[in-house]
Amino acid sequence: EAAVTQSPRNKVAVTGGKVTLSCNQTNNHNNMYWYRQDTGHGLRLIHYSYGAGSTEKGDIPDGYKASRPSQENFSLILELATPSQTSVYFCASGDQANTEVFFGKGTRLTVV
Amino acid sequence: GEKVEQHESTLSVREGDSAVINCTYTDTASSYFPWYKQEAGKSLHFVIDIRSNVDRKQSQRLIVLLDKKAKRFSLHITATQPEDSAIYFCAATKNSNNRIFFGDGTQLVVKP
């Protein structure tokens, strides 16, 4: 069964702290994505990856880094968290043609 | 790059009526158009798709139409039920190793 697992599911962080959101997929997909979802903005792409060792900037990469150490894992890193990064973050994996895309359950991040 | 626009931000229908959600895209090379559903507080999951080699596809109560000349595609939900209430996202992508582009979502409310 296709699976994308995000951890943690909920996180409260302090301003200026470092936050790492993790994503693991067991679909053997090449492509992985990090989105944030805010009311009124739909899904906004932060970073994505075409395979292990690669990361690409999405539409709103500022303040975020990404790491793809293996086919299965894709992390989103906030080095210096700010309240404006309070959001729900979704990870997704997709096959090479993106005809099979699965989303994780999301991580609710609150930066205080 | 590709831009996908979803024309209705909210849509309210009576149970049993049909609902239509319209999207446009800009890149003539886009060839695959999936739709995703997000129920309240949950993640996104795939509901139906259409490829550029056809102009209509039906899966039970869901119909997708594609007009390549107008660069427009639409999701028709017939005989709506309360469980159809959700946010629906349209998307577009090209072949292989290209990112997937999402619309901003349409909040569909089915009133009993």
Short mmCIF file of all heavy atoms in Angstrom, two decimals, chain A residues 6 9 30-31 33 35 37 40-43 45 48 50 57-59 90 95-106, chain B residues 2 31-32 34 36 38 41-46 49 51 87 89 92-105:
data_model
loop_
_atom_site.label_atom_id
_atom_site.label_comp_id
_atom_site.label_asym_id
_atom_site.label_seq_id
_atom_site.Cartn_x
_atom_site.Cartn_y
_atom_site.Cartn_z
N GLN A 6 4.75 11.42 7.45
CA GLN A 6 5.37 12.66 7.92
C GLN A 6 5.53 12.62 9.44
O GLN A 6 4.67 12.12 10.15
CB GLN A 6 4.51 13.87 7.57
CG GLN A 6 4.43 14.15 6.09
CD GLN A 6 3.61 15.39 5.78
OE1 GLN A 6 2.73 15.37 4.95
NE2 GLN A 6 3.94 16.49 6.44
N ARG A 9 3.66 15.08 13.51
CA ARG A 9 2.37 15.50 12.99
C ARG A 9 1.99 16.89 13.52
O ARG A 9 1.27 17.63 12.87
CB ARG A 9 1.30 14.50 13.38
CG ARG A 9 1.45 13.14 12.74
CD ARG A 9 1.21 13.17 11.21
NE ARG A 9 0.05 13.95 10.83
CZ ARG A 9 -1.19 13.54 10.95
NH1 ARG A 9 -1.45 12.34 11.41
NH2 ARG A 9 -2.19 14.34 10.58
N ASN A 30 10.54 8.56 -7.50
CA ASN A 30 11.68 9.46 -7.68
C ASN A 30 11.40 10.85 -7.12
O ASN A 30 12.27 11.48 -6.53
CB ASN A 30 12.01 9.61 -9.17
CG ASN A 30 12.58 8.34 -9.76
OD1 ASN A 30 13.17 7.52 -9.06
ND2 ASN A 30 12.43 8.18 -11.06
N ASN A 31 10.21 11.35 -7.34
CA ASN A 31 9.90 12.75 -7.02
C ASN A 31 9.32 12.89 -5.62
O ASN A 31 8.47 12.10 -5.21
CB ASN A 31 8.89 13.31 -8.03
CG ASN A 31 9.40 13.24 -9.46
OD1 ASN A 31 10.61 13.21 -9.69
ND2 ASN A 31 8.48 13.21 -10.40
N TYR A 33 8.05 16.16 -2.77
CA TYR A 33 7.65 17.57 -2.72
C TYR A 33 7.33 17.98 -1.29
O TYR A 33 6.81 17.20 -0.50
CB TYR A 33 6.39 17.80 -3.57
CG TYR A 33 6.50 17.34 -5.00
CD1 TYR A 33 6.17 16.05 -5.36
CD2 TYR A 33 6.94 18.22 -5.99
CE1 TYR A 33 6.28 15.62 -6.68
CE2 TYR A 33 7.04 17.81 -7.30
CZ TYR A 33 6.72 16.51 -7.64
OH TYR A 33 6.84 16.10 -8.94
N TYR A 35 5.09 21.09 0.45
CA TYR A 35 4.15 22.20 0.26
C TYR A 35 3.78 22.76 1.62
O TYR A 35 3.80 22.07 2.63
CB TYR A 35 2.86 21.72 -0.41
CG TYR A 35 3.00 21.19 -1.80
CD1 TYR A 35 3.23 19.84 -2.02
CD2 TYR A 35 2.88 22.03 -2.90
CE1 TYR A 35 3.33 19.33 -3.30
CE2 TYR A 35 2.98 21.54 -4.19
CZ TYR A 35 3.20 20.19 -4.37
OH TYR A 35 3.31 19.70 -5.65
N GLN A 37 0.33 24.85 3.26
CA GLN A 37 -1.04 25.21 2.95
C GLN A 37 -1.54 26.19 4.00
O GLN A 37 -1.58 25.89 5.19
CB GLN A 37 -1.96 23.98 2.93
CG GLN A 37 -3.38 24.31 2.49
CD GLN A 37 -4.26 23.09 2.37
OE1 GLN A 37 -4.12 22.13 3.14
NE2 GLN A 37 -5.16 23.11 1.41
N GLY A 40 -6.55 30.57 2.07
CA GLY A 40 -6.52 31.60 1.03
C GLY A 40 -5.37 31.49 0.06
O GLY A 40 -5.27 32.26 -0.89
N HIS A 41 -4.45 30.52 0.29
CA HIS A 41 -3.28 30.40 -0.59
C HIS A 41 -3.18 29.03 -1.25
O HIS A 41 -2.24 28.78 -1.98
CB HIS A 41 -2.00 30.66 0.19
CG HIS A 41 -1.79 32.09 0.52
ND1 HIS A 41 -1.35 33.02 -0.39
CD2 HIS A 41 -1.97 32.77 1.67
CE1 HIS A 41 -1.26 34.20 0.20
NE2 HIS A 41 -1.64 34.08 1.44
N GLY A 42 -4.07 28.15 -1.01
CA GLY A 42 -3.97 26.83 -1.61
C GLY A 42 -2.69 26.14 -1.18
O GLY A 42 -2.21 26.29 -0.05
N LEU A 43 -2.09 25.38 -2.10
CA LEU A 43 -0.82 24.69 -1.84
C LEU A 43 0.31 25.50 -2.48
O LEU A 43 0.23 25.84 -3.65
CB LEU A 43 -0.83 23.31 -2.49
CG LEU A 43 -1.74 22.25 -1.90
CD1 LEU A 43 -1.77 21.05 -2.82
CD2 LEU A 43 -1.26 21.84 -0.52
N LEU A 45 4.42 25.45 -3.25
CA LEU A 45 5.57 24.54 -3.32
C LEU A 45 6.81 25.21 -2.75
O LEU A 45 7.21 26.28 -3.19
CB LEU A 45 5.81 24.12 -4.77
CG LEU A 45 6.95 23.15 -5.01
CD1 LEU A 45 6.65 21.80 -4.34
CD2 LEU A 45 7.16 22.95 -6.50
N TYR A 48 11.47 20.72 -3.90
CA TYR A 48 11.16 19.41 -4.41
C TYR A 48 12.45 18.70 -4.83
O TYR A 48 13.53 19.32 -4.82
CB TYR A 48 10.14 19.47 -5.56
CG TYR A 48 10.53 20.28 -6.76
CD1 TYR A 48 10.87 19.65 -7.97
CD2 TYR A 48 10.53 21.67 -6.73
CE1 TYR A 48 11.20 20.39 -9.08
CE2 TYR A 48 10.86 22.42 -7.84
CZ TYR A 48 11.18 21.78 -9.01
OH TYR A 48 11.51 22.52 -10.12
N TYR A 50 14.09 15.33 -7.40
CA TYR A 50 13.89 14.31 -8.43
C TYR A 50 14.58 13.00 -8.08
O TYR A 50 14.47 12.04 -8.85
CB TYR A 50 14.44 14.81 -9.77
CG TYR A 50 13.67 15.95 -10.38
CD1 TYR A 50 14.32 17.02 -10.99
CD2 TYR A 50 12.27 15.97 -10.36
CE1 TYR A 50 13.61 18.07 -11.56
CE2 TYR A 50 11.56 17.01 -10.93
CZ TYR A 50 12.23 18.05 -11.53
OH TYR A 50 11.53 19.09 -12.10
N LYS A 57 14.54 24.36 -5.85
CA LYS A 57 13.71 25.38 -5.20
C LYS A 57 12.35 25.41 -5.86
O LYS A 57 12.23 25.36 -7.09
CB LYS A 57 14.38 26.75 -5.32
CG LYS A 57 15.64 26.87 -4.49
CD LYS A 57 16.26 28.25 -4.62
CE LYS A 57 17.50 28.36 -3.76
NZ LYS A 57 18.14 29.69 -3.87
N GLY A 58 11.34 25.53 -5.02
CA GLY A 58 9.99 25.70 -5.52
C GLY A 58 9.65 27.18 -5.63
O GLY A 58 10.50 28.01 -5.93
N ASP A 59 8.41 27.51 -5.36
CA ASP A 59 7.95 28.89 -5.54
C ASP A 59 8.23 29.78 -4.32
O ASP A 59 8.33 31.00 -4.45
CB ASP A 59 6.45 28.90 -5.83
CG ASP A 59 6.14 28.16 -7.12
OD1 ASP A 59 6.93 28.26 -8.07
OD2 ASP A 59 5.09 27.48 -7.18
N PHE A 90 2.69 19.79 3.91
CA PHE A 90 2.43 18.50 3.32
C PHE A 90 3.63 18.05 2.51
O PHE A 90 4.21 18.81 1.73
CB PHE A 90 1.21 18.56 2.39
CG PHE A 90 -0.09 18.65 3.11
CD1 PHE A 90 -0.74 19.87 3.24
CD2 PHE A 90 -0.68 17.52 3.66
CE1 PHE A 90 -1.95 19.96 3.91
CE2 PHE A 90 -1.89 17.60 4.33
CZ PHE A 90 -2.52 18.83 4.46
N ASP A 95 5.62 9.41 -8.93
CA ASP A 95 6.43 8.67 -9.88
C ASP A 95 7.01 9.64 -10.90
O ASP A 95 6.74 10.84 -10.86
CB ASP A 95 5.62 7.56 -10.55
CG ASP A 95 4.48 8.09 -11.40
OD1 ASP A 95 4.16 9.30 -11.30
OD2 ASP A 95 3.91 7.31 -12.17
N GLN A 96 7.79 9.11 -11.82
CA GLN A 96 8.56 9.99 -12.70
C GLN A 96 7.67 10.92 -13.53
O GLN A 96 8.01 12.05 -13.80
CB GLN A 96 9.44 9.14 -13.63
CG GLN A 96 10.45 9.97 -14.38
CD GLN A 96 11.59 9.13 -14.92
OE1 GLN A 96 11.73 7.96 -14.57
NE2 GLN A 96 12.40 9.72 -15.78
N ALA A 97 6.51 10.42 -13.93
CA ALA A 97 5.59 11.23 -14.74
C ALA A 97 4.53 11.93 -13.89
O ALA A 97 3.65 12.58 -14.43
CB ALA A 97 4.90 10.35 -15.78
N ASN A 98 4.64 11.79 -12.58
CA ASN A 98 3.64 12.37 -11.67
C ASN A 98 2.22 11.90 -11.96
O ASN A 98 1.26 12.61 -11.69
CB ASN A 98 3.70 13.90 -11.70
CG ASN A 98 4.91 14.43 -10.97
OD1 ASN A 98 5.24 13.99 -9.87
ND2 ASN A 98 5.60 15.38 -11.58
N THR A 99 2.09 10.70 -12.49
CA THR A 99 0.75 10.15 -12.69
C THR A 99 0.30 9.36 -11.47
O THR A 99 -0.83 8.88 -11.42
CB THR A 99 0.73 9.22 -13.92
OG1 THR A 99 1.73 8.21 -13.74
CG2 THR A 99 1.00 10.01 -15.18
N GLU A 100 1.17 9.24 -10.52
CA GLU A 100 0.84 8.58 -9.25
C GLU A 100 1.48 9.42 -8.15
O GLU A 100 2.69 9.37 -7.95
CB GLU A 100 1.41 7.16 -9.24
CG GLU A 100 1.06 6.35 -8.02
CD GLU A 100 1.68 4.96 -8.07
OE1 GLU A 100 2.86 4.82 -7.73
OE2 GLU A 100 0.95 4.02 -8.45
N VAL A 101 0.67 10.24 -7.49
CA VAL A 101 1.17 11.14 -6.46
C VAL A 101 0.40 10.87 -5.18
O VAL A 101 -0.83 10.82 -5.18
CB VAL A 101 1.00 12.61 -6.88
CG1 VAL A 101 1.41 13.55 -5.74
CG2 VAL A 101 1.80 12.91 -8.13
N PHE A 102 1.14 10.70 -4.09
CA PHE A 102 0.52 10.46 -2.79
C PHE A 102 1.00 11.50 -1.80
O PHE A 102 2.17 11.87 -1.79
CB PHE A 102 0.87 9.06 -2.27
CG PHE A 102 0.40 7.95 -3.17
CD1 PHE A 102 1.32 7.22 -3.92
CD2 PHE A 102 -0.93 7.64 -3.27
CE1 PHE A 102 0.90 6.21 -4.76
CE2 PHE A 102 -1.36 6.62 -4.11
CZ PHE A 102 -0.45 5.90 -4.86
N PHE A 103 0.07 11.93 -0.96
CA PHE A 103 0.37 12.94 0.03
C PHE A 103 0.44 12.33 1.43
O PHE A 103 -0.29 11.39 1.75
CB PHE A 103 -0.71 14.02 0.04
CG PHE A 103 -0.61 14.98 -1.12
CD1 PHE A 103 -1.11 14.65 -2.36
CD2 PHE A 103 0.00 16.21 -0.96
CE1 PHE A 103 -1.01 15.52 -3.43
CE2 PHE A 103 0.11 17.10 -2.01
CZ PHE A 103 -0.40 16.75 -3.25
N GLY A 104 1.31 12.91 2.25
CA GLY A 104 1.30 12.58 3.67
C GLY A 104 0.14 13.25 4.37
O GLY A 104 -0.61 14.03 3.77
N LYS A 105 -0.02 12.96 5.66
CA LYS A 105 -1.16 13.47 6.41
C LYS A 105 -0.96 14.90 6.89
O LYS A 105 -1.89 15.50 7.41
CB LYS A 105 -1.45 12.56 7.60
CG LYS A 105 -1.94 11.18 7.18
CD LYS A 105 -2.34 10.33 8.38
CE LYS A 105 -2.91 9.00 7.89
NZ LYS A 105 -3.34 8.15 9.03
N GLY A 106 0.22 15.42 6.71
CA GLY A 106 0.45 16.82 7.06
C GLY A 106 1.08 16.99 8.43
O GLY A 106 0.92 16.16 9.32
N GLU B 2 4.42 26.82 -16.10
CA GLU B 2 2.98 26.55 -16.12
C GLU B 2 2.27 27.34 -15.01
O GLU B 2 2.83 27.53 -13.93
CB GLU B 2 2.76 25.05 -15.93
CG GLU B 2 1.31 24.60 -15.73
CD GLU B 2 0.48 24.74 -16.98
OE1 GLU B 2 0.07 25.89 -17.28
OE2 GLU B 2 0.25 23.72 -17.67
N SER B 31 0.24 17.66 -20.31
CA SER B 31 -0.42 16.51 -20.93
C SER B 31 -1.17 15.62 -19.95
O SER B 31 -1.82 14.66 -20.34
CB SER B 31 0.62 15.67 -21.67
OG SER B 31 1.63 15.26 -20.77
N TYR B 32 -1.07 15.94 -18.68
CA TYR B 32 -1.72 15.09 -17.67
C TYR B 32 -2.37 16.01 -16.65
O TYR B 32 -1.71 16.93 -16.13
CB TYR B 32 -0.69 14.17 -17.02
CG TYR B 32 -1.26 13.30 -15.94
CD1 TYR B 32 -2.15 12.28 -16.23
CD2 TYR B 32 -0.89 13.51 -14.60
CE1 TYR B 32 -2.67 11.49 -15.22
CE2 TYR B 32 -1.41 12.71 -13.60
CZ TYR B 32 -2.30 11.71 -13.91
OH TYR B 32 -2.82 10.93 -12.91
N PRO B 34 -4.63 15.80 -13.28
CA PRO B 34 -5.30 15.08 -12.18
C PRO B 34 -6.12 16.02 -11.32
O PRO B 34 -5.90 17.23 -11.31
CB PRO B 34 -4.13 14.50 -11.39
CG PRO B 34 -3.03 15.49 -11.59
CD PRO B 34 -3.24 16.12 -12.94
N TYR B 36 -7.58 16.33 -7.20
CA TYR B 36 -7.42 15.83 -5.85
C TYR B 36 -8.52 16.41 -4.96
O TYR B 36 -8.99 17.51 -5.18
CB TYR B 36 -6.05 16.23 -5.28
CG TYR B 36 -4.90 15.57 -6.00
CD1 TYR B 36 -4.40 16.10 -7.18
CD2 TYR B 36 -4.35 14.39 -5.52
CE1 TYR B 36 -3.36 15.49 -7.85
CE2 TYR B 36 -3.31 13.76 -6.19
CZ TYR B 36 -2.83 14.32 -7.36
OH TYR B 36 -1.81 13.71 -8.03
N GLN B 38 -9.65 17.16 -0.88
CA GLN B 38 -9.18 17.30 0.49
C GLN B 38 -10.38 17.52 1.40
O GLN B 38 -10.99 18.60 1.37
CB GLN B 38 -8.19 18.46 0.61
CG GLN B 38 -7.61 18.60 2.01
CD GLN B 38 -6.64 19.75 2.14
OE1 GLN B 38 -6.77 20.77 1.46
NE2 GLN B 38 -5.66 19.61 3.02
N GLY B 41 -9.76 18.99 7.40
CA GLY B 41 -8.76 18.52 8.35
C GLY B 41 -7.93 17.35 7.89
O GLY B 41 -7.17 16.79 8.69
N LYS B 42 -8.06 16.98 6.64
CA LYS B 42 -7.34 15.79 6.15
C LYS B 42 -6.38 16.16 5.02
O LYS B 42 -6.26 17.31 4.63
CB LYS B 42 -8.34 14.74 5.70
CG LYS B 42 -9.21 14.22 6.84
CD LYS B 42 -9.98 12.99 6.44
CE LYS B 42 -10.76 12.45 7.63
NZ LYS B 42 -11.55 11.24 7.28
N SER B 43 -5.71 15.14 4.52
CA SER B 43 -4.77 15.34 3.44
C SER B 43 -5.48 15.24 2.08
O SER B 43 -6.69 15.03 2.01
CB SER B 43 -3.65 14.31 3.54
OG SER B 43 -2.64 14.59 2.60
N LEU B 44 -4.72 15.39 1.03
CA LEU B 44 -5.27 15.31 -0.32
C LEU B 44 -5.20 13.87 -0.81
O LEU B 44 -4.24 13.14 -0.52
CB LEU B 44 -4.44 16.16 -1.29
CG LEU B 44 -4.57 17.66 -1.20
CD1 LEU B 44 -3.75 18.23 -0.05
CD2 LEU B 44 -4.12 18.30 -2.52
N HIS B 45 -6.23 13.48 -1.58
CA HIS B 45 -6.11 12.20 -2.26
C HIS B 45 -6.67 12.33 -3.66
O HIS B 45 -7.56 13.13 -3.95
CB HIS B 45 -6.79 11.08 -1.47
CG HIS B 45 -8.27 11.18 -1.38
ND1 HIS B 45 -8.92 11.81 -0.35
CD2 HIS B 45 -9.25 10.73 -2.21
CE1 HIS B 45 -10.22 11.75 -0.53
NE2 HIS B 45 -10.46 11.11 -1.65
N PHE B 46 -6.10 11.51 -4.54
CA PHE B 46 -6.45 11.52 -5.96
C PHE B 46 -7.90 11.07 -6.16
O PHE B 46 -8.37 10.14 -5.49
CB PHE B 46 -5.50 10.56 -6.68
CG PHE B 46 -5.86 10.25 -8.09
CD1 PHE B 46 -5.42 11.06 -9.11
CD2 PHE B 46 -6.65 9.14 -8.40
CE1 PHE B 46 -5.74 10.76 -10.43
CE2 PHE B 46 -6.97 8.85 -9.70
CZ PHE B 46 -6.52 9.66 -10.72
N ASP B 49 -8.42 11.62 -13.17
CA ASP B 49 -7.47 12.33 -14.01
C ASP B 49 -7.91 12.24 -15.47
O ASP B 49 -8.83 11.50 -15.82
CB ASP B 49 -6.06 11.74 -13.87
CG ASP B 49 -5.99 10.25 -14.25
OD1 ASP B 49 -6.97 9.70 -14.78
OD2 ASP B 49 -4.94 9.63 -13.99
N ARG B 51 -5.89 12.50 -19.51
CA ARG B 51 -4.68 12.73 -20.30
C ARG B 51 -5.05 13.50 -21.56
O ARG B 51 -6.21 13.49 -21.99
CB ARG B 51 -4.01 11.40 -20.65
CG ARG B 51 -3.53 10.65 -19.43
CD ARG B 51 -2.93 9.30 -19.80
NE ARG B 51 -2.67 8.50 -18.61
CZ ARG B 51 -1.54 8.52 -17.93
NH1 ARG B 51 -0.54 9.29 -18.34
NH2 ARG B 51 -1.38 7.77 -16.86
N ILE B 87 -12.50 20.39 -0.39
CA ILE B 87 -11.76 21.25 -1.30
C ILE B 87 -11.24 20.38 -2.44
O ILE B 87 -10.66 19.32 -2.19
CB ILE B 87 -10.58 21.94 -0.59
CG1 ILE B 87 -11.07 22.78 0.58
CG2 ILE B 87 -9.81 22.83 -1.59
CD1 ILE B 87 -9.94 23.39 1.41
N PHE B 89 -8.79 20.25 -5.81
CA PHE B 89 -7.65 20.88 -6.47
C PHE B 89 -7.48 20.28 -7.87
O PHE B 89 -7.45 19.05 -8.02
CB PHE B 89 -6.35 20.62 -5.69
CG PHE B 89 -6.26 21.32 -4.37
CD1 PHE B 89 -6.70 20.72 -3.21
CD2 PHE B 89 -5.72 22.60 -4.30
CE1 PHE B 89 -6.61 21.37 -1.98
CE2 PHE B 89 -5.63 23.26 -3.08
CZ PHE B 89 -6.07 22.64 -1.92
N ALA B 92 -1.84 20.19 -13.21
CA ALA B 92 -1.34 19.91 -14.57
C ALA B 92 0.14 19.59 -14.50
O ALA B 92 0.87 20.15 -13.67
CB ALA B 92 -1.58 21.11 -15.48
N THR B 93 0.57 18.73 -15.39
CA THR B 93 1.99 18.40 -15.45
C THR B 93 2.32 17.91 -16.86
O THR B 93 1.44 17.49 -17.61
CB THR B 93 2.36 17.34 -14.40
OG1 THR B 93 3.77 17.15 -14.39
CG2 THR B 93 1.70 15.99 -14.69
N LYS B 94 3.61 18.01 -17.18
CA LYS B 94 4.10 17.48 -18.45
C LYS B 94 4.63 16.07 -18.22
O LYS B 94 4.60 15.54 -17.11
CB LYS B 94 5.20 18.40 -18.98
CG LYS B 94 4.69 19.78 -19.33
CD LYS B 94 5.76 20.61 -20.03
CE LYS B 94 6.70 21.27 -19.05
NZ LYS B 94 7.49 22.36 -19.69
N ASN B 95 5.15 15.47 -19.26
CA ASN B 95 5.72 14.14 -19.09
C ASN B 95 7.01 14.20 -18.31
O ASN B 95 7.77 15.13 -18.42
CB ASN B 95 6.00 13.52 -20.47
CG ASN B 95 4.73 13.24 -21.22
OD1 ASN B 95 3.71 12.93 -20.62
ND2 ASN B 95 4.78 13.38 -22.52
N SER B 96 7.25 13.23 -17.59
CA SER B 96 8.45 12.84 -16.87
C SER B 96 9.30 13.95 -16.25
O SER B 96 9.70 14.90 -16.89
CB SER B 96 9.37 11.98 -17.72
OG SER B 96 10.14 12.69 -18.62
N ASN B 97 9.54 13.72 -14.97
CA ASN B 97 10.44 14.57 -14.23
C ASN B 97 10.18 16.06 -14.36
O ASN B 97 11.09 16.85 -14.50
CB ASN B 97 11.90 14.28 -14.56
CG ASN B 97 12.52 13.42 -13.49
OD1 ASN B 97 11.82 12.86 -12.65
ND2 ASN B 97 13.82 13.31 -13.50
N ASN B 98 8.92 16.39 -14.31
CA ASN B 98 8.54 17.79 -14.20
C ASN B 98 7.64 17.95 -13.00
O ASN B 98 6.89 17.05 -12.66
CB ASN B 98 7.79 18.25 -15.46
CG ASN B 98 8.75 18.58 -16.58
OD1 ASN B 98 9.31 19.66 -16.64
ND2 ASN B 98 8.95 17.63 -17.46
N ARG B 99 7.72 19.07 -12.40
CA ARG B 99 6.89 19.28 -11.23
C ARG B 99 5.43 19.35 -11.62
O ARG B 99 5.08 19.61 -12.78
CB ARG B 99 7.31 20.56 -10.49
CG ARG B 99 7.37 21.79 -11.34
CD ARG B 99 7.66 23.01 -10.53
NE ARG B 99 6.48 23.50 -9.83
CZ ARG B 99 6.39 24.69 -9.27
NH1 ARG B 99 7.42 25.51 -9.31
NH2 ARG B 99 5.29 25.06 -8.64
N ILE B 100 4.57 19.16 -10.66
CA ILE B 100 3.14 19.21 -10.87
C ILE B 100 2.65 20.56 -10.36
O ILE B 100 3.08 21.04 -9.32
CB ILE B 100 2.46 18.02 -10.15
CG1 ILE B 100 0.99 17.96 -10.46
CG2 ILE B 100 2.72 18.02 -8.67
CD1 ILE B 100 0.35 16.64 -10.07
N PHE B 101 1.78 21.20 -11.13
CA PHE B 101 1.29 22.54 -10.80
C PHE B 101 -0.17 22.45 -10.37
O PHE B 101 -1.00 21.90 -11.08
CB PHE B 101 1.42 23.46 -12.02
CG PHE B 101 2.83 23.74 -12.41
CD1 PHE B 101 3.51 22.87 -13.26
CD2 PHE B 101 3.49 24.86 -11.94
CE1 PHE B 101 4.83 23.11 -13.62
CE2 PHE B 101 4.81 25.11 -12.31
CZ PHE B 101 5.48 24.24 -13.14
N PHE B 102 -0.46 23.03 -9.21
CA PHE B 102 -1.80 22.97 -8.64
C PHE B 102 -2.54 24.29 -8.78
O PHE B 102 -1.93 25.37 -8.70
CB PHE B 102 -1.74 22.63 -7.15
CG PHE B 102 -1.43 21.19 -6.86
CD1 PHE B 102 -0.11 20.78 -6.71
CD2 PHE B 102 -2.43 20.25 -6.77
CE1 PHE B 102 0.18 19.46 -6.44
CE2 PHE B 102 -2.14 18.91 -6.50
CZ PHE B 102 -0.82 18.52 -6.35
N GLY B 103 -3.85 24.21 -8.93
CA GLY B 103 -4.70 25.38 -8.74
C GLY B 103 -4.84 25.67 -7.25
O GLY B 103 -4.34 24.91 -6.41
N ASP B 104 -5.52 26.75 -6.93
CA ASP B 104 -5.63 27.18 -5.53
C ASP B 104 -6.73 26.47 -4.74
O ASP B 104 -6.90 26.71 -3.55
CB ASP B 104 -5.88 28.69 -5.46
CG ASP B 104 -4.61 29.48 -5.75
OD1 ASP B 104 -3.51 28.89 -5.65
OD2 ASP B 104 -4.71 30.67 -6.09
N GLY B 105 -7.50 25.63 -5.43
CA GLY B 105 -8.53 24.87 -4.74
C GLY B 105 -9.90 25.52 -4.79
O GLY B 105 -10.03 26.75 -4.83
#
